[in-house]
């Protein structure tokens, strides 16, 4: 009777395993692949009830509101200029509450107001502004998101979703890192609701927003989605530890 030879097995990856790892570590593999952008669609979803003619008029009005903020020679406009723009956007939103871009631009203006605040002490006003800013981004995303994930979006809709998801992700990640640092001054103007979520929870929320921002076409968000993906980070840590042991001969 001849001896049976048992060859050492080699680790292998299934097609699905390879696809998962590719999605985790390759920023170009998964974001934007599930979104169909159709230039022939109306610029805004039909369920918002805004006709093409109304949209054009709203865009023109919105441009008149925000152009003074962009054309100023200062890095950050004067608070009175920003507040004037916020008030004008308040009025626009009251008249057209389903117009998502107005919420996104009001969030940008609110962020400018926050940047004008005194950084040396906690401010209830700053906490309120940050809460309103995040609320506006959430409303813009809710309004612009297609009713079904399989629905195609217009280029205007895709850009709005890419920008707002990325903006919110950046803020959530920044707050997450402030909480992780534990510096009392760093977290002085963070709303309690965000403190309750905690650093890791906020980073996971930021990672999801970066993923969605990348999915709708923002290239920076695609890269950040990979860097903040908790599974990618975990796998990366495992790989680094395995390489360390290999080098050290453990």
């Amino acid at each position: 009777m001849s001896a049976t030879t048992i060859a050492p097995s080699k680790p292998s990856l299934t097609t699905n395993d390879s696809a998962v790892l590719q999605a985790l570590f390759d920023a170009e593999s998964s974001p934007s692949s599930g979104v169909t952008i159709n230039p022939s669609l109306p610029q805004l979803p039909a369920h918002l009830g805004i006709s093409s003619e109304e949209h054009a008029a709203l865009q023109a009005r919105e441009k008149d509101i925000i152009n003074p903020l962009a054309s100023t020679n200062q890095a950050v406009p004067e608070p009175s200029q920003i507040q004037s723009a916020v008030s004008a956007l308040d009025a626009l939103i009251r008249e057209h509450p389903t117009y998502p871009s107005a919420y996104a631009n009001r969030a940008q203006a609110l962020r400018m107001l926050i940047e004008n605040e005194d950084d040396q002490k906690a401010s209830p006003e700053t906490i309120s502004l940050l809460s309103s800013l995040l609320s506006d981004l959430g409303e813009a995303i809710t309004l612009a998101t297609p009713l079904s994930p399989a629905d195609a979006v217009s280029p205007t809709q895709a850009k709005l979703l890419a920008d707002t998801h990325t903006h919110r992700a950046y803020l959530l990640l920044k707050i997450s890192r402030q909480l992780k640092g534990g510096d009392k001054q760093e977290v002085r103007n963070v709303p309690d609701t965000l403190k309750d979520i905690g650093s890791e929870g906020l980073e996971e929320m930021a990672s999801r927003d970066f993923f969605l921002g990348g999915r709708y076409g923002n290239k920076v968000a695609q890269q950040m989605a990979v860097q903040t993906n908790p599974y990618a980070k975990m796998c990366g840590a495992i790989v680094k530890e395995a390489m360390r042991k290999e080098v050290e001969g453990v």
Side-chain angles (χ1 to χ4, degrees):
M1 181 182 294
S2 60
T4 302
T5 302
I6 301 176
S9 62
K10 295 182 180 180
S12 62
L13 293 176
T14 66
T15 302
N16 184 62
D17 291 336
S18 298
V20 170
L21 289 174
Q22 179 77 357
L24 284 174
F25 293 103
D26 182 1
E28 300 296 332
S29 64
S30 57
S32 78
S33 61
V35 174
T36 301
I37 299 176
N38 185 346
S40 68
L41 289 174
Q43 293 188 61
L44 293 178
H47 69 269
L48 297 183
I50 299 174
S51 68
S52 298
E53 294 75 15
E54 286 178 312
H55 186 223
L58 288 170
Q59 282 184 310
R61 181 175 168 185
E62 191 176 20
K63 187 176 180 181
D64 288 341
I65 294 171
I66 62 176
N67 269 357
L69 301 182
S71 60
T72 180
N73 292 326
Q74 298 173 301
V76 178
E78 291 293 329
S80 59
Q81 286 181 292
I82 304 170
Q83 189 57 64
S84 177
V86 170
S87 297
L89 288 167
D90 288 344
L92 191 156
I93 288 170
R94 282 194 299 271
E95 296 169 29
H96 302 276
T98 62
Y99 181 49
S101 181
Y103 293 94
N105 276 308
R106 188 168 67 178
Q108 292 279 13
L110 291 173
R111 184 171 162 190
M112 289 181 181
L113 279 179
I114 291 173
E115 289 170 354
N116 266 294
E117 287 290 310
D118 182 359
D119 288 338
Q120 300 305 311
K121 58 183 180 180
S123 164
E125 182 180 356
T126 300
I127 294 172
S128 176
L129 287 174
L130 180 55
S131 296
S132 296
L133 189 169
L134 291 169
S135 177
D136 275 351
L137 291 175
E139 188 64 22
I141 288 168
T142 297
L143 290 169
T145 298
L147 295 177
S148 168
D151 289 347
V153 297
S154 71
T156 297
Q157 191 179 356
K159 186 177 187 308
L160 178 60
L161 286 167
D163 290 347
T164 49
H165 275 295
T166 303
H167 188 178
R168 187 169 68 177
Y170 166 77
L171 292 173
L172 292 174
L173 184 61
K174 181 179 180 181
I175 295 168
S176 168
R177 289 176 175 172
Q178 288 174 341
L179 293 179
K180 188 177 292 185
D183 188 307
K184 289 184 178 179
Q185 279 206 329
E186 283 290 318
V187 301
R188 61 194 175 281
N189 288 320
V190 176
D192 289 339
T193 51
L194 298 182
K195 291 178 183 176
D196 290 343
I197 294 171
S199 176
E200 291 188 6
L202 290 172
E203 186 171 351
E204 289 179 11
M205 291 168 64
S207 179
R208 176 166 176 76
D209 265 330
F210 277 130
F211 170 78
L212 291 169
R215 190 168 183 262
Y216 285 107
N218 188 295
K219 298 296 184 183
V220 173
Q222 289 180 12
Q223 298 294 331
M224 289 302 297
V226 174
Q227 293 181 34
T228 57
N229 185 314
Y231 299 105
K233 290 167 67 177
M234 179 180 68
C235 291
I238 292 171
V239 170
K240 286 180 181 178
E241 179 64 15
M243 292 177 66
R244 184 188 67 78
K245 291 182 176 180
E246 179 73 18
V247 170
E248 294 177 355
V250 177

